[in-house]
Amino acid sequence: MSKTILVLPGDGIGPEIVNEAVKVLATLRDEHGLDVDLDEALVGGAAIDATGGPLPDVTLELAKEADAVMLGAVGGPKWESLDITIRPEKGLLGLRAGLNLFANLRPAILYPQLAGASTLKPEVVSGLDIMIVRELTGGIYFGQPRGVNQLETGERQGINTLVYTESEIDRISRVAFDIAMKRGKRVCSVDKANVLECTELWREVATRVGGDYPEVELSHMYVDNAAMQLVRFPKQFDVMVTTNMFGDILSDCAAMLTGSIGMLPSASLDENGKGMYEPIHGSAPDIAGQGLANPLATILSVAMMLRYSLNEPAMAERIESAVNKVLDDGLRTPDIMSEGMNEVGCEQMGDAVVAAL
Ligand code: NAD
């Protein structure tokens, strides 16, 4: 039975980069037998302009019915003066909550051809390939009680609560172990078990889940050390799994090891492996509409979709090889341009990937 992919171009460079990713999907469908149907809907600022809200009911319904969702990016200066409750970014949060996407997968891959783009020495980062698995719907960003209280002494007190149930830790740990089985079979669970009881439980449950994956080597690391190790010797890591807040911070750090925001895809998954796939970057209003955006992060998000939601690992590899080929051929969008390379625009880059498929 054919799988349905809901395409949400969004705002800014979103429609440009998604257009190239759709070309890749259509080529796999028309020439390589990928059995998919594509549907499209509005989200973010585009949805606000058309319907008054960032996440129309019909978009959420279509997203729930689809097998996977592909998102460009949302937001931009046009909508920044709106009340925070109806800004474009609320559309994204509504999708994550509405689809119960509790596992955020953020790979940090540095293509050897782009090693010069990192601020770290090429030998430290060349060939880097880390997968950070971040818990996305629990932890301190959602825990109760929260807020700012007035104390009897007259001063105010801010409160947030770090809270995880065993089942929440169990399910995110399983996502990490399942992914490790498809990669280098190593999981590093990151916590602060020496100080926080909640992450002492995290370590205990991660260890218990590890018992079900005898082939995977499990290690534990305190988050402060993990931050240091990411910058010192990042290639020691295969899969890292951690809480919402630690993952938020570490995944940005890992992304920046690669130096090129236009190259990094991401996935957010539910319990059944259904997911929303998007580049890690935003809508880049400064270059929108100029044909300058790098579409590779979005195209690589399609590869993640094929691997994690559509169970088509060979098709995913086909895309990743095609991206490698265009980089080997010296094609570069302006954000990754270096001396001696051949500068191309968004559409040309997409066409080159399609040709290399
Ligand atoms: P951004 O990621 O959009 O842009 C940061 C810088 O990176 C800009 O100079 C931009 O030109 C460049 N850049 C980003 N993607 C690129 C690409 N594919 N190719 C070439 N260059 C690229 O972050 P920002 O400027 O902080 O935010 C702009 C808007 O995007 C804001 O409204 C923000 O809220 C929104 N945003 C959305 C998402 C999302 O949809 N998931 C994520 C982050 C930011």
Side-chain angles (χ1 to χ4, degrees):
M1 208 174 79
S2 68
K3 302 271 175 68
T4 304
I5 299 169
L6 180 66
V7 177
L8 303 172
D11 311 317
I13 60 169
E16 301 166 44
I17 52 178
V18 161
N19 197 35
E20 302 312 309
V22 166
K23 281 201 293 208
V24 167
L25 271 170
T27 304
L28 292 177
R29 181 191 61 201
D30 300 341
E31 295 176 22
H32 300 282
L34 180 68
D35 194 7
V36 290
D37 290 324
L38 302 179
D39 211 345
E40 192 174 315
L42 292 169
V43 72
I48 294 173
D49 289 350
T51 70
L55 181 59
D57 291 345
V58 57
T59 298
L60 186 57
E61 275 316 305
L62 287 170
K64 284 181 177 169
E65 284 163 20
D67 295 287
V69 178
M70 185 170 76
L71 178 84
V74 298
K78 183 177 177 190
W79 304 282
E80 263 162 25
S81 57
L82 292 176
D83 187 82
I84 197 154
T85 54
I86 54 156
R87 288 223 196 118
E89 291 76 5
K90 278 281 165 197
L92 202 58
L93 298 179
L95 280 166
R96 284 181 188 157
L99 300 177
N100 197 18
L101 304 174
F102 72 93
N104 186 219
L105 276 46
R106 293 254 309 241
I109 297 171
L110 183 65
Y111 291 84
Q113 303 94 323
L114 304 178
S118 175
T119 49
L120 269 66
K121 291 184 195 132
E123 64 267 27
V124 175
V125 290
S126 182
L128 183 77
D129 182 359
I130 305 175
M131 176 70 83
I132 298 197
V133 178
R134 166 189 170 195
E135 202 289 327
L136 201 59
T137 52
I140 196 165
Y141 291 175
F142 294 94
Q144 296 288 346
R146 63 186 298 155
V148 177
N149 300 331
Q150 188 74 46
L151 297 179
E152 281 174 10
T153 57
E155 69 169 336
R156 289 176 303 156
Q157 178 193 52
I159 302 179
N160 289 94
T161 306
L162 174 62
V163 52
Y164 274 113
T165 61
E166 286 184 284
S167 57
E168 283 175 310
I169 305 168
D170 186 288
R171 67 178 183 176
I172 192 72
S173 300
R174 284 184 197 281
V175 170
F177 280 101
D178 285 339
I179 289 170
M181 285 296 289
K182 296 179 185 167
R183 297 174 39 108
K185 300 202 167 121
R186 286 182 297 123
V187 169
C188 178
S189 172
V190 177
D191 59 44
K192 190 72 183 170
N194 51 342
V195 180
L196 302 171
E197 290 84 351
C198 179
T199 67
E200 210 178 353
L201 180 68
W202 179 284
R203 186 175 284 219
E204 190 190 312
V205 175
T207 305
R208 192 167 71 208
V209 172
D212 292 342
Y213 297 82
E215 284 179 56
V216 178
E217 180 192 314
L218 171 66
S219 60
H220 303 276
M221 202 177 269
Y222 298 138
V223 62
D224 43 346
N225 187 25
M228 193 172 78
Q229 296 298 333
L230 266 178
V231 181
R232 189 185 77 88
F233 177 35
K235 283 191 267 185
Q236 70 184 281
F237 296 112
D238 177 25
V239 176
M240 300 175 90
V241 60
T242 190
T243 65
N244 200 343
M245 183 165 73
F246 294 166
D248 191 5
I249 298 164
L250 293 180
S251 62
D252 265 23
C253 175
M256 276 304 105
L257 296 175
T258 74
S260 40
I261 196 171
M263 294 294 301
L264 295 176
S266 78
S268 303
L269 304 180
D270 77 359
E271 216 134 359
N272 304 310
K274 172 173 169 166
M276 183 159 82
Y277 297 82
E278 55 183 312
I280 68 158
H281 59 73
S283 59
D286 52 334
I287 56 166
Q290 300 172 41
L292 299 175
N294 184 347
L296 293 179
T298 317
I299 289 172
L300 290 166
S301 300
V302 174
M304 288 191 85
M305 175 190 291
L306 290 166
R307 183 168 284 120
Y308 295 112
S309 285
L310 304 185
N311 201 21
E312 295 279 2
M315 295 268 187
E317 273 167 36
R318 190 180 278 273
I319 293 178
E320 287 155 358
S321 302
V323 168
N324 250 308
K325 164 99 173 44
V326 300
L327 294 175
D328 280 342
D329 290 346
L331 300 191
R332 303 282 188 273
T333 43
D335 57 308
I336 52 172
M337 183 60 191
S338 60
E339 215 180 308
M341 297 295 136
N342 181 9
E343 189 168 314
V344 296
C346 183
E347 194 178 339
Q348 269 174 295
M349 186 58 109
D351 288 342
V353 174
V354 165
L357 282 173

